[in-house]
Amino acid sequence: MCGIVGYIGPKEKKEILLDGLQELEYRGYDSAGIAIIQGEKLNSFKAVGKLKNLREKTKDYTSKGFGISIGHTRWATHGKPTELNAHPHLGAYSYVVHNGIIENYQELKKELQQEGVTFLSQTDTETIVHLFEKYHNEGFEPFEAFKKTVNRLEGAYATLLITEAAPDTIFFAKNGSPMLIGFDGEEVYFASSDTPIIGKANEVYYLEDGEYGYVQNGKVHLFDSHGEKVFHTQPLIADKAMAQKEGYRFFMEKEIYEQSRVMGETMMGRVLEEEIVLDELDADFFKGINTIKICACGTSYHSALTAAYLFERLAKIRCDVEIASEFRYKEPLLTKDTLFVTISQSGETADTLEALKMAKRAGLKSLSICNVDNSSIVRESDTAILTRAGIEKGVASTKAFATQTMVLWMLALYVGQVKQTLPKEVLKAEIDAMLHTPKALVVTDELHARLHRLSKRYLHGHGFFFIGRDIFYPLALEGALKLKEISYLHAEGYPAGEMKHGPIALADAELFTIALMPKTMHYDKIKSNVEELSARDATICAISPLPFELADDFVQTHYSSHPMVEFFEMMVVTQLLALEISVRLGNDVDMPRNLAKSVTVE
Ligand code: F6R
């Protein structure tokens, strides 16, 4: 949610900021802005909408020679996406960018307004720059003024501040929102994640919550509540080429096609012929654990719901799943025999992170399943299993969901193994099926062409129901979420058996039902649910290996002997269908309206 970059050094700052923001644009793209101090001169530019508007606005501006600079791409939380609300926010002689939410901003704003400060924007962020200038005007040195400002902030923030009062210094603070510092000799970079600094910096330091400081003359001064601290950087190793589109029209499309390959990486060294090996877990990790509780949001939550069936069925261990934003405020009863599992692609989702902190405070053991190493959730968890999906750039998550579900399936088998609740022959059959999944995820030209053709019939209507049973119910939820995110058409996922308890009232020819009809799981049951809908004239698109005579449209999947293999193949079908519908509707597939990739506010 929002992206921040900063740079201090002699290079062309405008380009560094714009290129960095380009890498972060997926986090929010309502507006963007940059501010640069070079010598005594302060310049700033802002533009509403995508970054290209800011590029256009700054095309005649250059910023070579030593200077300091900050930039921001915004996903609106307080105030509409206007130029006035775009960051950087200006005081009288300072600029600030911020990611997160200042929870006590109204109180601070009132206090400042009473002292005569005029606010230009509706944002919480603007309070930071005015507070800073207030303390500076009271006679505090710039760093003392910044420190006093940070001490007043409540909530989540990653923030950078520059001021004419210290034209060779960038001030920074982090609490709850991600930020890192990159180093290349005397040049110093800031960013919300490592992609903007790949190829520029060679060492990196991931800031911890509660850290703040300043950078001056190529030296970073870092503080926490105990005072100035020594910190150690680590080499920045990342392959930027992986993050490019590689010839696909959209990142989402590339990521759907990649699933077959990355699944191999997810399993590598973990899925052996007759056992699951998870080096991340100590031998006695599950000792004393009788229940698993999983917390996540959105797509990751759907993966968790799928896993609940697997944990109970395969490992015979109780598993509850909760939406993180609900969990946080329900005063949950937590017992120490519960393993607390969080699932997150980004590792930065605010609600999931907070749920994890709550579980830790209650003394629970924690495990995260995450795609981003060094992310806040990974660092906060006792142990993490990385999904190894590679950078996911499409806002609509695809390969992250596939690899999360695979890791959870592996974990269910692993628990069955260590608790000896899973017979050897069942384990062997599950592993065999696992090894077949990369094949089930291959996108053939034929399949893609079929979904492209079908998609033209699904561009209108008064809604979609994705229906399924058992693990195909969470898949139905996920299929519906994918479709609504990028097509802006209304779609719901439903357990097929529930349709006649209300939703069937909506059935008519304009109600599109996407029926997930696997051969290996309750086929006859779902068939009769679909027949009931068809009898009421609903338009049926059946996805199944078995031909279904009542289907208006039919996507035939392969025969398989295992539900999870069918699950993954059907997942690809629903992803491609959503993609093709979105393309036909002319939508921005990778950056759908109103969404952001990493939701770092609650
Ligand atoms: C949907 C999607 C979101 C995320 C959710 C949680 O395509 O991507 O629903 O799944 O915001 O994000 P993570 O997994 O990063 O915690």
Side-chain angles (χ1 to χ4, degrees):
M1 211 60 98
C2 301
I4 288 181
V5 292
Y7 170 71
I8 177 163
K11 295 207 180 98
E12 166 56 87
K13 282 157 286 300
K14 177 189 81 175
E15 290 306 328
I16 289 178
L17 295 179
L18 291 178
D19 289 351
L21 291 177
Q22 190 82 57
E23 296 292 339
L24 295 176
E25 202 182 12
Y26 68 97
R27 299 169 72 98
Y29 34 84
D30 293 334
S31 55
I34 57 173
I36 296 173
I37 300 182
Q38 185 135 14
E40 300 297 296
K41 231 173 136 1
L42 197 154
N43 282 291
S44 91
F45 302 87
K46 296 182 187 191
V48 171
K50 294 219 174 139
L51 197 65
K52 62 177 189 315
N53 301 344
L54 184 64
R55 268 195 200 280
E56 182 56 31
K57 211 163 180 177
T58 54
K59 68 178 190 301
D60 299 325
Y61 170 71
T62 55
S63 53
K64 285 207 190 86
F66 178 84
I68 58 177
S69 59
I70 56 177
H72 187 271
T73 177
R74 177 169 187 249
W75 185 85
T77 57
H78 295 79
K80 287 191 179 320
T82 60
E83 221 168 270
L84 272 184
N85 287 333
H87 302 214
H89 288 285
L90 174 68
Y93 50 87
S94 319
Y95 271 106
V96 71
V97 292
H98 158 235
N99 175 10
I101 290 184
I102 307 300
E103 284 170 0
N104 60 336
Y105 87 101
Q106 269 166 326
E107 178 193 318
L108 297 172
K109 187 170 178 176
K110 205 154 136 213
E111 175 187 317
L112 289 159
Q113 280 171 329
Q114 278 162 359
E115 292 172 17
V117 174
T118 309
F119 278 76
L120 297 176
S121 77
Q122 299 156 297
T123 65
D124 51 340
T125 303
E126 198 183 337
T127 51
I128 303 176
V129 73
H130 293 310
L131 256 186
F132 167 79
E133 291 189 350
K134 162 189 148 93
Y135 290 126
H136 184 246
N137 292 338
E138 284 171 7
F140 291 97
E141 287 300 316
F143 180 55
E144 276 308 305
F146 182 71
K147 194 167 145 186
K148 284 180 93 56
T149 304
V150 171
N151 281 338
R152 299 287 312 274
L153 305 180
E154 286 169 20
Y157 49 83
T159 185
L160 297 177
L161 183 141
I162 57 176
T163 174
E164 284 176 314
D168 57 354
T169 308
I170 297 183
F171 300 94
F172 62 87
K174 181 228 186 276
N175 192 45
S177 298
M179 190 155 67
L180 53 83
I181 313 180
F183 298 85
D184 177 23
E186 304 246 295
E187 292 172 53
V188 178
Y189 297 81
F190 291 89
S192 304
S193 75
D194 40 21
T195 33
I197 62 166
I198 296 171
K200 296 189 168 80
N202 38 44
E203 291 282 315
V204 68
Y205 176 72
Y206 296 90
L207 286 160
E208 297 285 343
D209 284 349
E211 290 181 339
Y212 63 95
Y214 63 96
V215 50
Q216 197 177 45
N217 299 330
K219 185 159 168 30
V220 173
H221 300 267
L222 185 74
F223 299 78
D224 64 12
S225 53
H226 305 295
E228 185 154 8
K229 67 191 267 195
V230 178
F231 64 96
H232 299 286
T233 60
Q234 51 183 279
L236 176 69
I237 314 161
D239 182 355
K240 197 155 184 173
M242 294 296 287
Q244 307 307 325
K245 278 190 211 151
E246 292 166 12
Y248 291 97
R249 294 170 298 172
F250 311 100
F251 280 111
M252 183 187 177
E253 185 176 45
K254 169 178 162 267
E255 288 155 8
I256 292 171
Y257 273 75
E258 269 175 356
Q259 292 177 118
S260 172
R261 178 181 60 76
V262 297
M263 203 58 112
E265 300 197 6
T266 306
M267 291 192 287
M268 199 181 298
R270 294 168 169 168
V271 182
L272 307 189
E273 220 171 289
E274 296 196 347
E275 64 170 334
I276 302 293
V277 177
L278 294 173
D279 288 336
E280 296 86 345
L281 308 181
D282 295 341
D284 59 356
F285 189 78
F286 280 93
K287 206 160 155 211
I289 298 293
N290 295 316
T291 303
I292 293 177
K293 186 178 275 298
I294 317 182
C295 254
C297 302
T299 287
S300 299
Y301 168 71
H302 297 154
S303 171
L305 287 177
T306 311
Y309 289 90
L310 304 179
F311 279 117
E312 300 208 346
R313 184 174 297 137
L314 296 170
K316 310 289 176 223
I317 188 164
R318 196 171 137 196
C319 179
D320 307 318
V321 179
E322 303 212 33
I323 291 179
S325 55
E326 287 299 312
F327 174 82
R328 285 179 66 173
Y329 299 103
K330 68 181 275 205
E331 296 178 29
L333 282 180
L334 299 172
T335 51
K336 296 226 170 96
D337 64 344
T338 301
L339 172 68
F340 194 80
V341 179
T342 46
I343 307 179
S344 176
Q345 187 287 127
S346 60
E348 302 296 348
T349 302
D351 285 318
T352 311
L353 179 60
E354 193 48 43
L356 169 60
K357 288 182 181 167
M358 275 172 67
K360 283 186 69 182
R361 283 196 293 273
L364 267 59
K365 190 182 259 189
S366 59
L367 166 69
S368 61
I369 293 171
C370 192
N371 196 33
V372 182
D373 198 5
N374 280 315
S375 59
S376 304
I377 288 176
V378 166
R379 281 181 279 136
E380 194 69 33
S381 308
D382 292 332
T383 312
I385 304 179
L386 295 177
T387 45
R388 304 179 184 160
I391 296 169
E392 187 179 66
K393 289 203 133 191
V395 164
S397 181
T398 52
K399 62 177 180 170
F401 173 74
T403 53
Q404 287 165 349
T405 310
M406 173 55 87
V407 168
L408 286 159
W409 183 14
M410 291 187 313
L411 189 64
L413 298 186
Y414 181 84
V415 177
Q417 230 172 247
V418 295
K419 288 201 171 276
Q420 298 181 343
T421 45
L422 189 65
K424 280 224 156 34
E425 60 287 1
V426 181
L427 175 63
K428 178 83 180 76
E430 293 292 313
I431 289 179
D432 280 352
M434 251 173 197
L435 296 171
H436 276 93
T437 48
K439 204 161 160 233
L441 289 164
V442 171
V443 181
T444 60
D445 290 349
E446 227 180 309
L447 175 70
H448 201 155
R450 170 95 186 108
L451 291 161
H452 171 68
R453 258 197 327 279
L454 268 189
S455 61
K456 65 173 177 286
R457 299 170 58 164
Y458 294 96
L459 308 177
H460 63 291
H462 59 69
F464 286 76
F465 271 96
F466 284 67
I467 59 170
R469 279 173 171 260
D470 203 282
I471 52 171
F472 293 86
Y473 161 49
L475 183 59
L477 290 172
E478 175 57 12
L481 179 64
K482 272 318 67 104
L483 183 65
K484 69 184 138 201
E485 281 184 289
I486 58 173
S487 72
Y488 319 142
L489 297 169
H490 181 72
E492 280 188 65
Y494 235 78
E498 269 292 298
M499 289 301 283
K500 57 172 147 318
H501 297 287
I504 204 165
L506 295 172
D508 66 18
E510 294 291 286
L511 177 78
F512 301 137
T513 302
I514 311 293
L516 306 178
M517 304 175 69
K519 179 174 77 69
T520 52
M521 196 150 249
H522 314 312
Y523 180 79
D524 292 330
K525 300 273 176 221
I526 185 150
K527 185 162 171 264
S528 44
N529 300 140
V530 182
E531 280 164 359
E532 287 154 9
L533 279 156
S534 172
R536 283 148 187 93
D537 220 18
T539 297
I540 310 290
C541 175
I543 306 174
S544 179
L546 302 174
F548 179 55
E549 64 281 8
L550 295 179
D552 297 279
D553 282 316
F554 181 60
V555 181
Q556 187 154 27
T557 50
H558 293 91
Y559 281 92
S560 159
S561 55
H562 197 286
M564 285 304 286
V565 179
E566 292 206 270
F567 176 100
F568 282 117
E569 189 177 352
M570 290 188 185
M571 176 198 75
V572 173
V573 174
T574 57
Q575 293 168 340
L576 285 172
L577 182 65
L579 175 89
E580 288 302 322
I581 291 176
S582 170
V583 175
R584 281 198 194 266
L585 290 171
N587 298 343
D588 188 336
V589 171
D590 284 331
M591 293 188 200
R593 71 182 185 203
N594 304 338
L595 298 179
K597 184 71 183 158
S598 182
V599 186
T600 54
V601 292
E602 75 167 291

